[in-house]
Amino acid sequence: MQRLIIEGGRRLEGEIAVHGAKNAVLPILAATLLGGSSTLSNCPALSDVDAAGRILQTLGCTLKRQADRISVDAHSVEFREIPETLMREMRSSILFLGPILARCGRARLSFPGGCELGARPIDLHIEGLRRLGAVISEEHGYLNCSVRGRLHGAEITLPFPSVGATENILLAAVTAQGRTVLHNAAREPEICDLADFLNTCGGRVSVEGDRISVEGVESLHSGDYRVIPDRIEAATYLCASAATGGEVLLTGVRPGHLAAVLPALETAGCRINTGEDWIRLAAPHRLQAVPSVKTMPYPGFPTDAQAPLMAALCTAEGTSLFVETIFEARYKHVGELRRMGARIEVEGRVALVRGVESLSGANLCCTDLRGGAALVIAALSAEGRSTLTGLRHLDRGYQDLEGTLRRLGAKISRERE
Ligand code: EPZ
């Protein structure tokens, strides 16, 4: 079992470059199934990205990785069942359903994994694909999907702007026959990135706010594309610096994608300056509480940044209030933060964080990806030593977490037993 050992209480200071966005590269990798050969740059080295690569290989693609570039040759794609082990490895495996159906005319896959945030249904994905002409049945935990001929365009309104359902529908619609209009679509930057990649490969997708129109094309061609920076990785390092009274310069980032996060950090007392592709944050010795943080679909405050910000505010002066509206079980880190001395009460979707003077190091276990990041942040700001297990969650979403934090002056190491 691997463990992170963190000696807390050190101010983080320095400059780091943000990696490419996990949640952008995953749907884009699924999209490469529709084209010839694609080369993606700014791809983070993460276990979820490796899992997506293995799914592509199962379907007959050839992959090459060189530094941050992944080349996918999808000329010889053929219908294959995606093994349950791969589907369970990450929830985003469901994003392959739309493109496999579009490319092969049928698909068979088990229900995806990644359910640590509570019930995560895929009804909106399935309903959307049915509207595009897919016939989908479920048996023994498997989805059997087929299309007679080609998928066709449709007018679809999502009851909730689900990120994954928007991506799956877009991926299926881009080579469908005719026009698709998706209303109440998700507006996350990762959706625009997927649309930009599809258009680079000859797709005809236009995103206007929460309305996405797609003119179906026969097929996509090869394309080279650079993935956008990871706004959640950026938010995590900003929160880590803020929690330790530090000062950090993030480069290779898009400040506009963090428009809901930066004001919260300013309310907490941080000084923030931004340029076209950089953010500088200088934190006070002690943060101030943030009266209300409510997670919402983009452009609202991202649910993925809720846990990291909560960790930083555990030692703020005053009481902060969080309302989690996206996922039903996204406070799993709270129990672990309490073990460090945090005073947090949870009632349904609301968490009340009463700032304490300091946290103390403890033995902790990561419960999910962003919850794990929150524990790292808390451990960095705490007095004494913390050990963290459950690192597979962190490795899904943070490339070289320890190396990056060490460059900022953290005392952190990984023990491999
Ligand atoms: C994406 O998950 C991200 N994952 C998540 O990132 C992120 O937290 C989430 O969007 C919200 O921003 C990827 O992009 C790979 P949703 P996704 O569909 O697509 C309900 C991280 O830490 N819903 O917008 O699964 C669902 O249960 C993560 O990087 C349905 O009811 O999110 C949830 O309550 C984890 N039916 C809400 O919608 C459906 O068919 C939002 O889910 C689909 C979703």
Side-chain angles (χ1 to χ4, degrees), residues 3-9 339-340 359-364 378-388 411 413 415 417:
R3 297 190 307 168
L4 277 184
I5 316 285
I6 300 176
E7 299 287 347
R339 291 162 62 89
M340 307 177 78
L359 298 177
S360 52
N363 294 332
L364 306 163
L380 289 168
S381 76
E383 284 171 7
R385 177 187 167 104
S386 297
T387 60
L388 266 84
K411 202 161 175 212
S413 58
E415 252 181 21
E417 283 176 5

Side-chain angles (χ1 to χ4, degrees), residues 70-331:
I70 299 180
S71 305
V72 183
D73 183 341
H75 283 103
S76 321
V77 167
E78 53 186 52
F79 169 77
R80 293 261 176 75
E81 183 178 313
I82 301 187
E84 196 172 335
T85 43
L86 271 180
M87 288 302 293
R88 282 190 181 278
E89 224 169 282
M90 62 164 184
R91 179 181 159 85
S92 345
S93 48
I94 192 65
L95 295 176
F96 284 82
L97 179 55
I100 296 174
L101 259 179
R103 181 82 192 251
C104 305
R106 60 192 170 129
R108 183 172 151 82
L109 32 90
S110 75
F111 277 89
C115 292
E116 66 270 6
L117 307 178
R120 292 178 75 180
I122 51 168
D123 53 320
L124 304 177
H125 299 239
I126 292 177
E127 190 47 37
L129 295 174
R130 281 190 174 134
R131 297 291 306 280
L132 297 174
V135 178
I136 305 181
S137 62
E138 301 170 27
E139 52 164 19
H140 311 301
Y142 270 80
L143 289 168
N144 287 316
C145 316
S146 60
V147 196
R148 208 174 279 153
R150 203 169 142 197
L151 292 166
H152 56 72
E155 183 115 1
I156 301 170
T157 302
L158 287 176
F160 174 84
S162 152
V163 173
T166 299
E167 291 167 345
N168 230 336
I169 293 167
L170 182 50
L171 285 163
V174 69
T175 55
Q177 196 156 24
R179 181 181 167 86
T180 297
V181 182
L182 184 58
H183 301 276
N184 199 28
R187 292 194 269 171
E188 272 66 6
E190 294 76 19
I191 305 280
C192 298
D193 210 36
L194 174 60
D196 288 345
F197 171 72
L198 293 171
N199 289 340
T200 301
C201 299
R204 292 178 59 198
V205 180
S206 103
V207 181
E208 293 151 34
D210 67 354
R211 182 174 177 274
I212 300 181
S213 329
V214 184
E215 295 293 343
V217 294
E218 279 287 325
S219 61
L220 295 185
H221 53 67
S222 304
D224 288 357
Y225 192 74
R226 185 174 172 82
V227 174
I228 53 167
D230 197 317
R231 63 196 169 99
I232 306 303
E233 186 197 33
T236 302
Y237 291 126
L238 291 173
C239 290
S241 308
T244 62
E247 186 163 353
V248 70
L249 173 67
L250 299 185
T251 58
V253 67
R254 301 222 187 140
H257 291 170
L258 287 145
V261 175
L262 300 183
L265 288 164
E266 281 175 327
T267 304
C270 298
R271 255 188 305 117
I272 294 178
N273 294 303
T274 58
E276 200 186 331
D277 61 354
W278 56 266
I279 301 174
R280 184 187 293 280
L281 173 143
H285 181 63
R286 188 174 184 194
L287 295 175
Q288 295 291 322
V290 179
S292 171
V293 181
K294 186 174 183 178
T295 66
M296 295 289 279
Y298 193 84
F301 189 92
T303 173
D304 294 345
Q306 174 256 107
L309 181 63
M310 184 184 289
L313 295 177
C314 283
T315 49
E317 203 169 336
T319 300
S320 305
L321 179 90
F322 285 81
V323 184
E324 170 60 53
T325 75
I326 308 293
F327 288 109
E328 60 173 20
R330 221 168 189 185
Y331 286 139

